[in-house]
């Protein structure tokens, strides 16, 4: 488990970097005041600056309260989190499969994969749940709301 | 009067009425299942609002909002696992009444009655107070709106997140995301990464479904690993509260409804704070304070009327000032904007029938919630017991379908997955996703009023400090942001 102090330092660095990037990107737009008000770069530049300052304040407050924050643990690499990361991976694979296999086929596999991830392995239950969910989606979104869900590239 | 008749006509549309009843039923189901939340229900069904004409979709969301707050009490009472954070206080007396006293029906009946009363009470307050506040807000100009939005953001970031700085950072990221796309004032194309997808700005709905629904799915998968919920069998007796119970809890019911409505008006608070404050006050004033924690009816009623009374109160700043108080009202405000209804005082002038339809809809939602609660309680108890390993895969699919159906765009789906994964990690690190969403929603308003104010003053920032109301809101914003720091310094000196 990571300590909240360490996480806060990492967040400060990333937050500060994002703030700096926003400022740099905003600086490419005009910022001077004209009859139409300040240029389009002014507001995002101010937001980037505020984010940079907030990241600095977070780092300083973490330093001053480091004893308490060292004791606060953040669960990011435990066994339960690994399941979450597998789920994220499944979602990413599903995104790729949608355009390849089509929504319904990809969804069938995703539902079964998620249920197995949650320690459910009965084949009958897996099959019935996946089919029932897809039927529900087809009836509500396909027939009732006329949503054209993506089809397979092989059928185009 | 003509506006009210038009509003009644909108409500009387069978499809709109059906949407309202469907919303309440779905809301109760979402609320009573641990692991699902109000925000998740609202975010998931948001895309369905486009299938309704006019305010029909908003009515469905109102139903979900009211139903879900109430639904949380069912699992709180039966499983000691609150379906929503707003029902945590209900477990204190609800669970002992259901198990130790073996009166689950009495506990559920009291919670249904209190939730319905609290919701109706706060809606009546909304109907009375909102038009008056809107009249005052009509005097506001651009600098006041800018200051008000900053105040709303500051109070939300300081209250809703565990850390003020992290809340502020979330709000700033939300404000920045709102700048992506074509600038409304200058027409400049900003931060689109040379893609046409981002020309219209960061799509709000995929981000919303990502951070509130998909991130919640990921969180539930983690929770499932630690704690597999299973409920015991409880026989339900009568659910209609007895006359003696009604007499015993009436004063608590009124007091808690007032507290909930007031807390609901304050941006950044919510049902959880309202229920605990109401519970605490009920215990303080009760003749039976020693019985609190052992199944005291006043304890259940205080918590449930307090958290449901938030619903009407929370709509006062949303409708009159355009400031959402939490994630749920931010989603509702987004839905209003998508339907072409821009919340703020002008809404009461330009779209009065729609405003009245929302008022009547909220009132009806609470009444329907009571009717469904009393009549279908046995069905909802069955819903509580549906295993999460059947539900989560289906909800995961709904996040994908809901996102895709909004624009028929796979890019939206990718954005939703990315937002959800990021939202999960940020939640773990103590960031408030509500602050990010509210930042995105208020971003346009803040920037346009900021630029508009500077045009009014020929570029002088003094305009923000020379107008009394503007100065008041900015000072209040500074105070709410620095408050926790000052409290710490004060505490150390003392």
């Amino acid at each position: 488990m990571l300590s909240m102090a360490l996480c806060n330092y990492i967040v400060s660095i990333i937050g500060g970097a994002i703030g700096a990037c926003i400022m740099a990107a905003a600086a490419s737009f005009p910022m001077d005041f004209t009859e139409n008000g300040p240029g389009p770069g002014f507001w995002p530049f101010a937001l980037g600056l505020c984010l940079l300052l907030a990241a600095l304040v977070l780092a300083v407050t973490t330093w001053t309260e480091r004893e308490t924050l060292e004791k606060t643990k953040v669960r990011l690499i435990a066994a339960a989190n690994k399941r979450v990361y597998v789920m994220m991976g499944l979602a990413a694979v599903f995104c790729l499969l949608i355009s390849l296999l089509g929504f319904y086929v990809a969804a069938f596999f995703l539902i079964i994969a998620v249920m197995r991830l949650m320690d459910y392995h009965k084949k009958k239950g897996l099959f019935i749940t996946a089919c029932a969910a897809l039927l529900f989606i087809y009836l509500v979104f396909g027939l009732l709301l006329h949503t054209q869900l993506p089809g397979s590239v092989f059928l185009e | 009067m003509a506006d009210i008749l038009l509003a009644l006509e909108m409500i009387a549309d069978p499809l709109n009425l059906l949407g309202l009843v469907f919303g309440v039923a779905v809301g109760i189901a979402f609320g009573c299942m641990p692991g699902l939340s109000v925000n998740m229900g609202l975010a998931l069904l948001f895309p369905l609002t486009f299938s309704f004409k006019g305010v029909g979709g908003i009515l469905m969301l109102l139903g979900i909002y009211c139903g879900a707050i109430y639904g949380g009490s069912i699992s709180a009472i039966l499983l000691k696992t609150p379906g929503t954070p707003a029902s945590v206080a209900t477990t204190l007396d609800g669970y002992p009444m259901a198990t130790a006293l073996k009166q689950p029906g009495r506990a559920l009946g009291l919670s249904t009655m209190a939730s319905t009363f609290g919701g109706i009470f706060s809606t009546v307050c909304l109907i009375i107070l909102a038009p008056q506040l809107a009249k005052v807000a009509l005097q506001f100009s651009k600098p006041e709106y800018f200051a008000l939005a900053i105040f709303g953001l500051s109070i939300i970031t300081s209250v809703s997140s565990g850390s003020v700085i992290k809340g502020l950072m979330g709000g700033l990221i939300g404000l920045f995301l709102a700048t992506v796309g074509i600038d409304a004032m200058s027409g400049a194309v900003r931060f689109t990464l040379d893609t046409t997808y981002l020309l219209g700005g960061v799509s709000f709905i995929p981000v919303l479904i990502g951070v509130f629904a998909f991130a919640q799915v990921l969180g539930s998968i983690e929770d499932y690993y630690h704690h597999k919920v299973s409920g015991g069998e409880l026989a339900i007796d009568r659910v209609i509260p007895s006359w003696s119970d009604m007499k015993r809890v009436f004063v608590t019911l009124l007091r808690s409804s007032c507290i909930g409505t007031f807390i609901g008006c304050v941006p950044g608070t919510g049902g959880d704070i309202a229920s605990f404050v109401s519970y605490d006050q009920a215990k303080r004033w009760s003749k039976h304070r020693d019985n609190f924690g052992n199944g005291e009816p006043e304890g259940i009623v205080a918590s449930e009327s307090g958290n449901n009374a938030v619903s009407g109160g929370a709509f006062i700043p949303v409708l009159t000032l355009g400031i959402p108080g939490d994630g749920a009202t931010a989603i509702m405000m987004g839905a209003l904007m998508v339907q072409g209804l821009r919340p703020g005082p002008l809404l009461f002038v330009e779209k009065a029938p729609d405003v009245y339809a929302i008022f009547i809809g909220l009132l009806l939602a609470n009444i329907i919630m009571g009717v469904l609660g009393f009549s279908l309680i046995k069905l909802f108890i069955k819903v509580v017991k549906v295993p999460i390993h059947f539900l989560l895969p289906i909800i995961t699919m709904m996040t994908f379908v809901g996102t895709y159906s909004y624009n028929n765009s796979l890019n939206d789906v990718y954005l939703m997955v990315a937002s959800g994964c990021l939202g999960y990690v940020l939640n773990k690190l103590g960031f408030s996703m509500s602050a990010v969403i509210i930042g995105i929603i208020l971003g346009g308003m803040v920037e346009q009023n900021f630029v508009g104010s500077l045009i009014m003053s020929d570029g002088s920032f003094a305009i923000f400090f020379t107008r009394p109301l503007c100065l008041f809101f900015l000072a209040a914003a500074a105070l709410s942001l620095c408050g926790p720091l000052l409290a710490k310094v004060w505490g150390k000196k003392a």
Side-chain angles (χ1 to χ4, degrees), chain B residues 192-252:
Chain B
T192 57
L193 308 171
D194 294 328
T195 60
T196 46
Y197 175 66
L198 290 174
L199 269 180
V202 173
S203 202
F204 165 68
I205 291 171
V207 177
L208 184 80
I209 296 177
V211 299
F212 283 136
F214 191 64
Q216 174 89 45
V217 165
L218 297 175
S220 297
I221 285 176
E222 186 188 344
D223 292 343
Y224 183 76
Y225 184 83
H226 297 297
H227 177 65
K228 293 176 183 177
V229 180
S230 59
E233 287 297 322
L234 287 168
I236 302 295
D237 45 350
R238 60 172 281 168
V239 288
I240 306 288
S242 65
W243 180 241
S244 61
D245 271 348
M246 300 272 268
K247 274 200 293 187
R248 181 167 171 166
V249 301
F250 184 70
V251 177
T252 306

Side-chain angles (χ1 to χ4, degrees), chain A residues 75 77-84, chain B residues 225:
Chain A
R75 213 187 283 264
I77 44 175
N81 301 110
K82 284 174 191 157
R83 282 193 182 203
V84 175
Chain B
Y225 184 83

Side-chain angles (χ1 to χ4, degrees), chain A residues 8 33 40 65 75 81 145, chain B residues 51 166 190 424 428 488:
Chain A
N8 280 359
F33 188 85
E65 294 170 19
R75 213 187 283 264
N81 301 110
L145 302 177
Chain B
S51 318
K166 286 181 188 171
R190 297 185 296 189
Y424 168 78
K428 300 287 290 177
K488 251 180 218 171

Side-chain angles (χ1 to χ4, degrees), chain B residues 401-462:
Chain B
V401 182
T403 307
Y404 183 82
S405 68
Y406 167 58
N407 243 347
N408 283 3
S409 160
L410 276 177
N411 287 331
D412 280 352
V413 176
Y414 305 148
L415 179 62
M416 184 277 289
V417 173
S419 316
C421 296
L422 196 63
Y424 168 78
V425 177
L426 290 178
N427 270 330
K428 300 287 290 177
L429 297 174
F431 280 84
S432 160
M433 287 301 102
S434 298
V436 179
I437 290 295
I438 290 168
I440 296 176
I441 286 185
L442 291 182
M445 170 186 168
V446 176
E447 185 181 3
Q448 282 167 32
N449 286 306
F450 173 74
V451 173
S453 306
L454 287 180
I455 294 172
M456 277 169 70
S457 67
D458 284 331
S460 168
F461 282 88

Side-chain angles (χ1 to χ4, degrees), chain B residues 120-301:
Chain B
I120 292 173
F121 180 90
S122 72
T123 308
V124 172
C125 291
L126 167 73
I127 294 169
I128 296 168
L129 293 176
Q132 310 309 321
L133 189 59
K135 274 182 203 162
V136 176
L138 272 173
Q139 317 297 322
F140 289 5
S141 185
K142 288 182 184 299
E144 282 79 21
Y145 271 117
F146 168 73
L148 187 65
I150 294 292
F151 169 65
L153 265 171
S154 72
I155 205 163
I156 289 152
T157 52
S158 59
V159 177
S160 62
S161 171
S163 153
V164 179
I165 298 296
K166 286 181 188 171
L168 186 64
M169 287 172 84
L172 286 168
I173 288 169
L175 287 176
F176 169 71
L177 289 176
T179 65
V180 174
I182 299 172
D183 176 27
M185 303 298 277
S186 66
V189 177
R190 297 185 296 189
F191 317 117
T192 57
L193 308 171
D194 294 328
T195 60
T196 46
Y197 175 66
L198 290 174
L199 269 180
V202 173
S203 202
F204 165 68
I205 291 171
V207 177
L208 184 80
I209 296 177
V211 299
F212 283 136
F214 191 64
Q216 174 89 45
V217 165
L218 297 175
S220 297
I221 285 176
E222 186 188 344
D223 292 343
Y224 183 76
Y225 184 83
H226 297 297
H227 177 65
K228 293 176 183 177
V229 180
S230 59
E233 287 297 322
L234 287 168
I236 302 295
D237 45 350
R238 60 172 281 168
V239 288
I240 306 288
S242 65
W243 180 241
S244 61
D245 271 348
M246 300 272 268
K247 274 200 293 187
R248 181 167 171 166
V249 301
F250 184 70
V251 177
T252 306
L253 198 59
L254 268 181
R255 188 197 306 115
S256 305
S257 299
C258 291
I259 292 171
T261 306
F262 176 73
I263 289 178
C265 299
V266 182
T269 55
D272 44 353
I273 297 174
S275 63
F276 272 110
V277 173
S278 302
Y279 185 86
D280 180 57
Q281 288 304 311
K283 192 174 176 181
R284 192 177 297 244
W285 294 98
S286 174
K287 287 176 193 164
H288 313 96
R289 66 177 72 98
D290 294 338
N291 194 34
F292 272 69
N294 301 315
E296 170 57 39
E298 282 182 76
I300 299 171
V301 163

Side-chain angles (χ1 to χ4, degrees), chain B residues 76-89:
Chain B
I77 289 168
L78 298 177
L79 305 177
K80 206 183 178 183
T81 309
T84 58
S87 298
V88 175

